[in-house]
């Protein structure tokens, strides 16, 4: 949510900053801006809209300087326009800041600064930080920032520069920042993707830390001024993983990467009819498990509840991370709280884990991004190893999360000295192949998408393990095509949503050949009787299905527990093709951002 990059070195800053912003654009794209210091003067250039629009400004090529900061915005305070775009400066135009997060005591600070004569020009909460630092500035940017932040409540990932200091200062509380260490140059960014082209050596800032970067040096302190020695981590992702690789969109590439991402999560973890994970808690002490997540990750948690309760017979609660903290959850040292997050930076999920720790619960993370904030908060976890997910709509991370939850359940079963069903392990091993078969039918799915692309509403129905699949299918469609779609448990339809069904309402049924099959067929009959337009995701065609459904998508039959994974793939493709036919900006859907780092 909002992308930040800063540079200090010997090279021209503008091209580095713009390239960095392009990499970070998936974090927000309402407006963008850069600030570069030239001959002790700050040059700020901002533009409403995407980075491509900023890039076209001729004045951009006229600023030469080798210290700079830049930002791509996802609006929280104030509409997306040029004045509200970052960087923001103080009134003397000596200090410029870019900010990710929310300043909670913004009104109080604004009033205080205005009473002292400061002229605040934008509607953002961020601008006040520039004025506050200016108020405390007396020749040392780092010191002034520490003093100013003492008065700030809320979340920030903040990068600051001063026209007369050849350095960048970065401070973090709640919103991620990572330092990139180069040769004779230093970088700071809101995530590693912007740094990968320049360096693999990074330092993750923790909350309440401040870094000061000069071309050849860095120092990291706590916000109250104590020096800290931090580890340098190595980025494992490669630059070509960040390219579209011939696909029209990152989302499509990531859908097609799923056989590989599933192989990656299984590698080394399923061996000799057993499951090996390195988790740092004594399972025998655990009496209840709580899965916390947001959005698509929350859908994987719903599937995980089925897995754990069926295989391990421990009660599992699934919570929206954003709700969890505020209901004073019943937790103690016998509870295990599992945070599920692709980015590892979702503010609500991070806050949920902190709450769990406060209540002495054990914590683990199921996370894709190595070194992200959640991974540093939990005591151990399962990395997805899915590679970078750039498309805003999550696809490969979702299927890997479901596999991770199944691995966790099997591991807990092993800890309970229960046997692990060979059919599940074989199923896991053949999963990449199954997914490849579904991907082979992408052209047929595309044809169905073309026929239905102009519909205004969709209903997605599934039962049991595939109710979350229906929720996820509906979410994919609405977020990238802007078509209204709802997921429901199939049998619940007759308690209300059935009123919506007419001959203009496509209903997507997830209908695997399992214990729920017959019941779902009855639900299909109910839809058909009301002239609904049925799309059925099935395992094998039979006469009954052919009679009821206008469109049929066949997927291979797997072991029951794996069916949500296989069934999700056609729904991802279906949503993708509809959005593509409609000409939507698939990788950057309106109003969305890849990682939501504000609560
Ligand atoms: C939907 C989507 C979002 C995320 C949610 C949580 O396609 O991507 O709903 O799943 O914002 O993000 P993470 O998993 O990064 O915590």
């Amino acid at each position: 949510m909002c992308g930040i990059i800063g540079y200090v070195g010997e090279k021209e800053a503008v091209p580095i900053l713009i390239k960095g912003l392009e990499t970070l654009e998936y974090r927000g794209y309402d407006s963008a801006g850069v600030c570069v210091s030239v001959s002790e003067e700050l040059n700020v250039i901002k533009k409403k809209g995407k980075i491509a629009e900023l890039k076209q400004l001729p004045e951009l090529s006229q600023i030469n300087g080798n210290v700079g900061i830049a930002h791509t915005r996802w609006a929280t305070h104030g509409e997306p326009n040029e004045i509200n775009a970052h960087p923001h400066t103080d009134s003397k135009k000596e200090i410029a800041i870019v900010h990710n997060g929310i300043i909670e005591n913004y009104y109080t600070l604004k009033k205080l600064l205005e009473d002292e004569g400061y002229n605040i020009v934008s509607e953002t909460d961020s601008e006040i930080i520039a004025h506050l630092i200016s108020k405390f500035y007396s020749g040392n940017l780092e010191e002034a920032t520490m003093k100013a932040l003492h008065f700030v409540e809320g979340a920030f990932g903040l990068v600051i520069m001063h026209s007369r200091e050849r350095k960048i200062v970065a401070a973090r509380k709640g919103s991620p920042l990572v330092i990139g260490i180069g040769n004779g140059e230093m970088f700071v960014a809101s995530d590693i993707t912007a740094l990968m082209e320049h360096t693999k050596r990074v330092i993750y800032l923790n909350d309440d830390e401040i870094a000061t970067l000069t071309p050849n040096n860095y120092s990291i302190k706590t916000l109250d001024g104590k020096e800290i020695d931090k580890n340098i981590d190595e980025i494992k992702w490669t630059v070509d993983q960040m390219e579209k690789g011939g696909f029209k969109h990152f989302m499509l590439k990531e859908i097609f990467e799923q056989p590989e991402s599933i192989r990656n999560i299984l590698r080394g973890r399923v061996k000799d009819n057993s499951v090996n994970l390195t988790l740092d808690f004594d399972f025998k002490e655990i009496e209840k498990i709580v899965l916390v997540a947001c959005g698509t990750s929350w859908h994987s948690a719903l599937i995980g509840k089925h897995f754990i309760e069926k295989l391990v017979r421990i009660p599992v609660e699934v919570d929206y991370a954003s709700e969890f903290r505020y209901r004073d959850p019943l937790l103690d040292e016998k509870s295990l709280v599992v945070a599920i997050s692709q980015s590892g930076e979702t503010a609500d999920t991070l806050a949920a884990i902190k709450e769990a720790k406060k209540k002495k619960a054990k914590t683990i993370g199921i996370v894709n991004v190595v070194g992200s904030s959640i991974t540093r908060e939990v005591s151990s976890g399962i990395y997805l190893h899915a590679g970078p997910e750039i498309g805003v709509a999550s696809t490969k991370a979702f299927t890997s999360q479901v596999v991770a939850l199944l691995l966790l359940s099997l591991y807990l079963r092993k800890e309970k000295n229960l046997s692990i069903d060979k059919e599940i392990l074989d199923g896991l091993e053949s999963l990449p192949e199954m997914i490849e078969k579904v991907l082979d039918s992408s052209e047929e799915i595309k044809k169905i998408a073309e026929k239905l692309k102009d519909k205004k509403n969709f209903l997605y129905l599934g039962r049991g393990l595939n109710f979350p699949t229906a929720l996820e299918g509906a979410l994919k469609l609405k977020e990238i095509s802007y078509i209204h779609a709802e997921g429901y448990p199939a049998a619940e339809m007759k308690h209300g949503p059935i009123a919506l069904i007419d001959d203009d309402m496509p209903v997507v049924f997830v209908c695997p050949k399992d214990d729920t099959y017959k019941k779902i067929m009855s639900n299909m009959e109910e839809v058909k009787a009301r002239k609904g337009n049925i799309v059925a995701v099935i395992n094998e065609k039979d006469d009954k299905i052919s009679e009821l459904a206008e469109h049929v998508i066949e997927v291979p039959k797997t072991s029951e527990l794996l069916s949500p994974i296989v069934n999700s793939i056609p729904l991802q493709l279906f949503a993708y093709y509809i959005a593509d036919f409609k000409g939507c900006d698939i990788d950057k859907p309106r109003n969305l951002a890849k990682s939501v780092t504000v609560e």
Side-chain angles (χ1 to χ4, degrees):
M1 185 147 288
C2 297
I4 287 179
I5 175 147
Y7 174 80
V8 54
E10 301 302 330
K11 297 184 189 140
E12 285 298 335
V14 169
I16 292 173
L17 297 174
I18 294 290
K19 190 88 196 291
L21 286 186
E22 285 175 326
T23 321
L24 292 170
E25 200 171 17
Y26 69 106
R27 294 184 69 102
Y29 28 84
D30 294 339
S31 59
V34 298
C35 172
V36 175
S37 167
V38 185
S39 314
E40 300 202 347
E41 228 179 76
L42 295 185
N43 286 255
V44 179
I45 299 176
K46 317 199 262 193
K47 184 86 180 129
K48 179 180 171 187
K50 300 211 167 112
I51 291 148
E53 290 171 55
L54 175 74
K55 235 174 124 176
Q56 275 166 12
L57 297 177
E59 55 268 40
L60 209 57
S61 57
Q62 287 152 23
I63 47 172
N64 311 97
N66 34 36
V67 188
I69 59 178
H71 187 267
T72 176
R73 180 167 185 245
W74 186 86
T76 54
H77 279 64
E79 66 172 280
N81 60 25
E82 208 163 301
I83 292 183
N84 290 337
H86 300 218
H88 291 286
T89 61
D90 67 322
S91 310
K92 289 184 268 178
K93 293 235 168 356
E94 289 178 345
I95 291 168
I97 64 109
V98 288
H99 168 230
N100 186 5
I102 291 184
I103 307 303
E104 283 163 8
N105 59 341
Y106 148 71
Y107 286 105
T108 321
L109 292 175
K110 185 175 182 219
K111 175 105 193 23
L112 189 138
L113 288 163
E114 280 175 341
D115 288 350
E116 290 186 22
Y118 288 88
N119 180 25
I120 293 164
V121 295
S122 75
E123 300 160 298
T124 66
D125 54 341
S126 308
E127 185 193 340
I128 56 132
I129 306 173
H131 297 286
L132 206 57
I133 297 174
S134 164
K135 176 177 155 70
F136 290 106
Y137 188 79
S138 59
N140 184 325
L141 185 60
E142 184 194 64
E143 266 176 36
T145 304
M146 285 198 269
K147 281 185 188 153
L149 291 181
H150 186 68
F151 293 89
V152 171
E153 287 165 22
F156 50 81
L158 194 62
V159 180
I160 314 130
M161 61 188 288
H162 191 286
S163 57
R164 291 190 303 278
E165 295 193 48
R166 199 166 139 63
K167 62 172 69 147
I168 288 178
V169 172
R172 171 191 167 143
K173 185 176 192 170
S175 296
L177 283 179
V178 55
I179 310 295
I181 301 163
N183 281 332
E185 55 186 0
M186 297 284 165
F187 305 82
V188 58
S190 47
D191 66 68
I192 55 168
T193 53
L195 304 179
M196 282 163 49
E197 200 184 319
H198 307 288
T199 180
K200 295 256 168 192
R201 301 174 70 223
V202 296
I203 297 176
Y204 297 97
L205 279 193
N206 282 338
D207 280 353
D208 299 309
E209 288 179 356
I210 182 164
T212 302
L213 313 177
T214 57
N216 292 303
N217 242 319
Y218 65 87
S219 83
I220 299 172
K221 296 181 182 162
T222 59
L223 278 178
D224 47 19
K226 285 187 207 89
E227 295 266 358
I228 15 184
D229 202 11
K230 295 196 51 128
N231 283 345
I232 298 179
D233 286 293
E234 180 116 353
I235 306 176
K236 296 278 189 294
W237 287 350
T238 60
V239 175
D240 43 303
Q241 283 180 299
M242 309 291 298
E243 310 284 340
K244 282 193 205 138
F247 285 91
K248 187 170 177 189
H249 294 99
F250 279 110
M251 182 180 175
L252 190 61
K253 176 187 175 221
E254 286 155 11
I255 292 173
F256 274 82
E257 275 174 351
Q258 289 174 104
E260 193 51 31
S261 52
I262 298 296
R263 280 187 197 105
N264 287 345
I265 188 167
L266 294 175
R267 191 162 298 126
R269 286 167 168 156
V270 179
K271 248 203 294 197
D272 307 327
N273 290 331
S274 184
V275 170
N276 305 308
L277 300 174
T278 319
L279 296 175
D280 177 23
F281 64 90
D282 183 359
F283 169 66
K284 289 170 195 82
E285 291 171 5
I286 302 297
E287 289 179 359
K288 104 170 173 185
I289 297 178
V290 185
L291 308 177
V292 289
C294 301
T296 286
S297 302
W298 183 78
H299 295 156
S300 77
L302 294 177
I303 299 169
K305 174 180 165 76
H306 279 261
F307 291 162
I308 300 171
E309 290 190 340
K310 188 177 168 92
L311 294 172
V312 197
R313 309 306 292 166
I314 285 193
V316 178
E317 289 168 20
V318 177
D319 249 300
Y320 284 114
S322 55
E323 295 292 318
F324 176 74
R325 197 153 65 111
Y326 299 101
R327 67 171 174 85
D328 194 11
L330 293 172
L331 297 174
D332 57 24
E333 60 283 356
K334 293 188 179 132
S335 319
L336 172 68
V337 177
V338 184
I340 308 168
S341 173
Q342 187 286 128
S343 61
E345 299 293 354
T346 299
D348 286 316
T349 314
L350 186 59
I353 276 295
K354 288 183 178 163
E355 176 70 16
K357 280 168 72 178
K358 248 194 250 160
K359 299 201 160 190
K360 309 245 175 325
K362 312 277 182 300
T363 57
I364 63 169
I366 294 180
V367 174
N368 192 32
V369 180
V370 175
S372 54
S373 302
I374 291 173
T375 65
R376 283 176 290 125
E377 205 59 53
V378 291
S379 65
S380 57
I382 307 173
Y383 274 124
L384 301 180
H385 298 309
E389 191 180 67
I390 312 282
V392 163
S394 185
T395 50
K396 62 176 179 175
F398 170 72
T399 46
S400 292
Q401 286 165 346
V402 177
V403 171
L405 285 157
L406 185 53
L407 292 178
L408 175 65
S409 315
L410 296 173
Y411 169 84
L412 295 179
R413 215 178 139 78
K414 183 177 93 174
E415 291 289 290
K416 253 186 146 183
N417 294 324
L418 295 169
S419 65
I420 297 180
D421 191 345
K422 176 106 175 34
E423 193 201 324
I424 304 176
L425 294 176
D426 291 347
L428 274 171
E429 220 162 277
S430 58
L431 193 54
E433 246 171 76
M434 300 279 187
I435 295 174
E436 267 152 17
K437 282 194 187 132
V438 184
L439 294 172
D440 285 344
S441 57
S442 64
E443 281 305 312
E444 287 148 53
I445 296 168
K446 187 174 179 179
K447 282 184 196 140
I448 303 173
E450 188 169 17
K451 289 198 179 113
L452 297 174
K453 67 179 190 308
D454 296 319
K455 299 289 180 189
K456 300 282 178 266
N457 298 286
F458 276 74
L459 205 54
Y460 282 69
L461 302 176
R463 294 181 80 125
L465 272 166
N466 281 292
F467 159 53
T469 314
L471 289 176
E472 176 58 9
L475 179 63
K476 286 292 89 90
L477 185 69
K478 67 184 138 193
E479 66 185 334
I480 60 169
S481 74
Y482 319 136
I483 295 173
H484 173 242
E486 294 298 331
Y488 254 90
E492 189 63 21
M493 173 191 62
K494 50 189 171 300
H495 299 284
I498 199 166
L500 297 169
I501 291 170
D502 61 15
D503 59 3
D504 206 27
M505 170 68 103
V507 183
V508 180
F509 276 93
V510 186
C511 185
K513 200 86 182 208
D514 60 18
D515 293 350
T516 62
Y517 183 75
K518 283 208 178 104
K519 293 272 191 288
I520 296 193
M521 294 304 283
S522 322
N523 302 138
M524 267 196 213
E525 299 269 11
E526 290 153 12
V527 169
K528 186 74 182 170
R530 286 152 187 92
K531 301 200 168 34
N533 197 338
I534 295 175
V535 181
V537 177
I538 55 158
N539 292 135
E540 58 195 64
K541 233 183 222 160
D542 58 31
D543 291 348
K544 195 75 205 152
I545 290 264
S546 306
E547 191 187 304
L548 291 172
E550 269 76 17
H551 308 285
V552 168
I553 301 171
E554 260 184 88
V555 299
K557 185 159 165 47
T558 50
S559 98
E560 188 191 342
L561 297 181
L562 298 171
S563 75
I565 301 172
V566 177
N567 292 335
S568 294
I569 314 284
L571 303 187
Q572 295 169 348
L573 284 167
F574 183 63
Y576 171 83
Y577 287 123
I578 289 196
D580 197 33
F581 280 123
K582 290 173 80 74
C584 298
D585 192 349
I586 292 180
D587 286 333
K588 301 186 197 86
R590 72 179 178 214
N591 306 336
L592 293 179
K594 183 70 183 163
S595 44
V596 183
T597 54
V598 288
E599 286 180 53

